[in-house]
Amino acid sequence: MSNLSINSKCIKCGSCLSLGYDFLKEDREGAIEVKEGTFLENDSVELKSIMEICPLGAFEYDKSVRIESNKEQLEKVKEKLKNWKGIAHITAENIPFDENKYQMNMPYDSGSSYTYSSDNAALKAAEDKFYNIAYSKIDAFILQVISQYRGEMLLPYYTYEADTNSVYYKENLKIKEMLSQAEKLSKKDLCSGFSDFDVNPSSDSTYKMLKKGELVGDNLVDSVHREFSSGSYSGLSSYRMYFDYDETERYAGKGLFGGDKYVSKYCYRSLYEAITELEKDLRSALKYRKDQIQNHAVEVVNALIDTYNKKAMEELNRKLDVL
Ligand code: SF4
């Protein structure tokens, strides 16, 4: 918007251009234009000169157009910076936990060979194997899921780069833009890099630990484990129903009277069913502790946001002081 314009009376005589004002320009066809954003005071020399020089009275001056002065614009930007409230806290809705979304690296066991002398021995071996490879590792499976959830959902709150969708990166950009505007509007000779704004809550290494599951906290894993244990069919013995055995006859040499002798040998079958059932039960426990998992994450994220806001506010105030 400008408070000066040229109407259709203009005959492109070029007289006004001879005044050398940079707010007037000529296009390829020789038409004269007033540059966008031109604001002339009604008692200015420039306005008086162009009105006088134009033989056709083609210039129009609009007193009602109000264009803010640099100073006014600067004050507005400063006001915005002063009123900066910081990044808002998050809630559980921002980082929803879905217990089925994350990988649980359950083991696989295809069953044993026919080495056991009874069905009971085979089933006992199945139970021992199930315990060793899966049931005794319940905490690790829980930790795996919570760590993946945190690694994915909390990434923007723990990192600073554009490609991680960092909330701090985005906020820094917004502030940087305002500082840049202020720098342009200010007549002061500000130091180089005045508009740079690169604040973060220094949580990068923390994020790496978090991704590895080092910061999930024993309490949270314990809580999910307790939820799992509270189920009626979560004891080790409850998984026996998913174990199965098979029997075969094996040649065992000659008998007392010279005939062939055979003995029964047993194996246990694949533990797939039991392991799948355990995974299902663990996911169910995670689902029941969803609120706690989310709230725990919300707490740590909001603490980081508070750190960022405090540091950013201090940096901002330092910049406002010199504006
Ligand atoms: S002096 Fe008037 S008529 Fe001539 S170019 Fe300028 S605006 Fe157009």
Side-chain angles (χ1 to χ4, degrees):
M1 190 181 277
S2 305
N3 64 356
L4 185 72
S5 58
I6 298 174
N7 62 30
S8 58
K9 290 182 199 162
C10 174
I11 53 166
K12 305 178 186 175
C13 69
S15 304
C16 54
L17 291 176
S18 68
L19 293 170
Y21 294 141
D22 61 3
F23 54 85
L24 295 178
K25 58 179 183 178
E26 187 179 16
D27 72 9
R28 282 188 190 156
E29 279 77 46
I32 312 298
E33 290 174 358
V34 175
K35 277 190 196 164
E36 177 66 21
T38 299
F39 177 75
L40 300 181
E41 300 290 348
N42 62 358
D43 56 353
S44 64
V45 177
E46 291 91 340
L47 183 60
K48 194 164 176 277
S49 304
I50 56 171
M51 288 299 184
E52 280 174 6
I53 205 167
C54 181
L56 279 304
F59 283 103
E60 289 185 7
Y61 181 69
D62 187 349
K63 278 193 282 190
S64 65
V65 174
R66 171 92 179 91
I67 296 177
E68 286 172 339
S69 66
N70 261 17
K71 201 178 163 205
E72 286 170 324
Q73 289 179 55
L74 177 61
E75 282 312 310
K76 273 195 176 171
V77 179
K78 278 167 81 173
E79 207 51 35
K80 268 200 227 168
L81 288 166
K82 278 180 198 159
N83 291 330
W84 181 74
K85 295 278 186 289
I87 297 175
H89 276 183
I90 65 159
T91 66
E93 282 176 15
N94 300 110
I95 49 169
F97 173 72
D98 177 352
E99 73 282 356
N100 292 317
K101 192 174 173 186
Y102 305 103
Q103 181 97 12
M104 208 180 267
N105 292 332
M106 303 307 282
Y108 178 74
D109 186 274
S110 57
S112 73
S113 52
Y114 289 89
T115 52
Y116 302 101
S117 55
S118 70
D119 53 353
N120 271 341
L123 289 175
K124 175 72 174 64
E127 185 171 291
D128 289 348
K129 190 69 184 284
F130 174 71
Y131 177 80
N132 287 332
I133 64 171
Y135 197 84
S136 63
K137 299 190 167 24
I138 282 173
D139 284 356
F141 299 138
I142 295 170
L143 184 62
Q144 250 174 29
V145 171
I146 299 177
S147 297
Q148 285 170 70
Y149 155 71
R150 288 195 163 194
E152 181 199 49
M153 299 303 280
L154 307 197
L155 181 67
Y157 305 97
Y158 273 86
T159 50
Y160 321 118
E161 293 77 29
D163 60 355
T164 57
N165 211 16
S166 161
V167 292
Y168 313 114
Y169 178 85
K170 288 186 199 165
E171 200 63 27
N172 286 345
L173 266 192
K174 271 198 254 169
I175 296 173
K176 193 174 174 175
E177 205 173 298
M178 287 193 275
L179 287 171
S180 203
Q181 278 175 18
E183 190 175 12
K184 276 182 209 150
L185 294 164
S186 172
K187 300 283 182 219
K188 288 186 186 170
D189 189 15
L190 299 167
C191 60
S192 76
F194 170 81
S195 58
D196 291 350
F197 203 81
D198 193 20
V199 174
N200 61 63
S202 304
S203 54
D204 196 41
S205 55
T206 317
Y207 177 70
K208 284 174 192 147
M209 290 166 76
L210 183 95
K211 257 183 99 180
K212 284 195 274 174
E214 290 171 5
L215 294 178
V216 170
D218 292 342
N219 289 349
L220 203 53
V221 173
D222 282 352
S223 170
V224 179
H225 197 143
R226 279 199 304 279
E227 178 62 43
F228 166 79
S229 301
S230 70
S232 336
Y233 301 105
S234 59
L236 180 60
S237 58
S238 303
Y239 293 91
R240 277 183 197 150
M241 69 175 95
Y242 303 106
F243 303 148
D244 199 6
Y245 67 88
D246 194 31
E247 179 188 359
T248 192
E249 294 275 294
R250 284 278 159 85
Y251 178 68
K254 294 290 181 189
L256 200 56
F257 304 105
D260 288 342
K261 195 173 128 190
Y262 290 90
V263 290
S264 289
K265 285 289 178 185
Y266 299 83
C267 74
Y268 67 82
R269 290 186 187 277
S270 164
L271 298 178
Y272 174 79
E273 216 182 321
I275 290 170
T276 304
E277 201 56 32
L278 177 66
E279 180 178 350
K280 221 166 80 187
D281 293 342
L282 286 173
R283 290 197 187 278
S284 170
L286 282 157
K287 183 182 177 182
Y288 278 106
R289 292 297 159 116
K290 176 183 174 160
D291 286 351
Q292 199 181 350
I293 293 167
Q294 289 177 160
N295 291 341
H296 197 276
V298 164
E299 243 174 66
V300 291
V301 166
N302 284 340
L304 282 175
I305 289 178
D306 285 344
T307 305
Y308 169 83
N309 286 345
K310 186 169 178 285
K311 285 171 87 174
M313 198 66 87
E314 285 165 3
E315 178 69 3
L316 206 48
N317 284 336
R318 271 195 290 275
K319 305 241 177 196
L320 278 165
D321 284 346
V322 296
L323 256 183

